């Protein structure tokens, strides 16, 4: 497991942008060698995978609800991941979590949470006018 710390949440107006960051810290980390992802959850809904980044894939996997608006990226040297959120909508309001699947170089379903063994504390994103 690794320790994950998210930052960058906050408030934005509809149509606005925010950037989330997630840092990964471990005693014996292997930078860039396992899957990481962003999830989000509201009190009314189950946790939803937003974007998954696995070293075994050439590009991130996105939920349909955020395709074309959100961009996930990764700094393999530091094991940080980022989520650039554009064209934000009120329905994007949620607690966003960073997660790592330290046993997996790739996942069949990178947006499914069961293989992720490390989670951050979450950062709140609120979109309202």
């Amino acid at each position: 497991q690794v320790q994950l710390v998210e930052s960058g949440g906050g408030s934005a107006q509809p149509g606005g942008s925010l950037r989330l960051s997630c840092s990964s810290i471990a005693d014996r980390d292997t930078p860039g060698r396992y899957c990481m992802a962003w999830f989000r959850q509201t009190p009314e809904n189950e946790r939803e995978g937003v974007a998954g980044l696995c070293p075994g894939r050439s590009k991130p996997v996105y939920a349909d609800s955020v395709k074309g608006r959100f961009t996930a990226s990764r700094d393999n040297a530091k094991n940080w991941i980022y989520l650039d959120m554009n064209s934000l909508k009120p329905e994007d309001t949620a607690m966003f979590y960073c997660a790592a699947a330290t046993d997996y170089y790739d996942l069949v379903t990178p947006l499914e949470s069961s293989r992720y063994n490390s989670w951050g504390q979450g950062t709140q994103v609120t979109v309202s006018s």
Side-chain angles (χ1 to χ4, degrees), residues 55-104:
R57 293 173 179 262
S58 59
K59 55 185 179 181
V61 174
Y62 295 99
D64 288 343
S65 58
V66 306
K67 282 181 181 176
R69 300 188 299 120
F70 290 10
T71 302
S73 59
R74 182 171 193 163
D75 182 335
N76 284 329
K78 299 190 297 184
N79 248 359
W80 284 51
I81 62 171
Y82 306 92
L83 187 67
D84 290 293
M85 304 183 293
N86 298 310
S87 301
L88 284 163
K89 303 175 181 180
E91 51 263 42
D92 293 319
T93 296
M95 185 71 79
F96 279 71
Y97 296 91
C98 172
T102 58
D103 295 329
Y104 294 91

Side-chain angles (χ1 to χ4, degrees), residues 38-55:
W38 289 100
F39 290 81
R40 65 184 179 185
Q41 188 169 18
T42 66
E44 299 79 20
N45 298 318
E46 294 184 354
R47 186 172 295 178
E48 174 192 23
V50 175
L53 304 97
C54 290

